[in-house]
Amino acid sequence: FLAGEKPESEQDEVKLQNASKQIVQTAILRAVQQVSQESQQKEKRTNSSTSHQLERGKLTKKHEKK
């Protein structure tokens, strides 16, 4: 081997480590995005159900005034 040159098995090991890191980073990123989307959807559902409840409450109050 020349000075500064790694044996092929070490180069393969480095490639595998880099590929593994990339896979893990991608998986984590996707998981974070999924959790974020789910929480946003849950928030929208909560907000829409709250607004429906408020609308129902307004309708009930209108009928009570009569």
Side-chain angles (χ1 to χ4, degrees):
F1 298 111
L2 296 173
E5 191 177 310
K6 292 183 178 180
E8 251 185 71
S9 61
E10 275 190 50
Q11 289 177 351
D12 289 343
E13 184 70 28
V14 170
K15 286 179 185 176
L16 280 173
Q17 286 177 350
N18 288 338
S20 296
K21 286 178 187 176
Q22 187 75 44
I23 291 168
V24 170
Q25 287 175 342
T26 302
I28 291 172
L29 183 63
R30 286 182 180 167
V32 168
Q33 288 173 337
Q34 186 176 348
V35 168
S36 177
Q37 287 174 348
E38 288 173 0
S39 66
Q40 286 175 357
Q41 288 171 353
K42 189 181 277 187
E43 195 173 303
K44 286 179 185 175
R45 283 193 296 254
T46 303
N47 288 342
S48 67
S49 69
T50 303
S51 65
H52 287 304
Q53 288 172 354
L54 288 173
E55 288 172 17
R56 284 192 214 119
K58 288 177 185 174
L59 290 174
T60 305
K61 288 178 182 174
K62 285 181 184 175
H63 291 299
E64 287 174 359
K65 287 180 182 177
K66 289 183 179 178

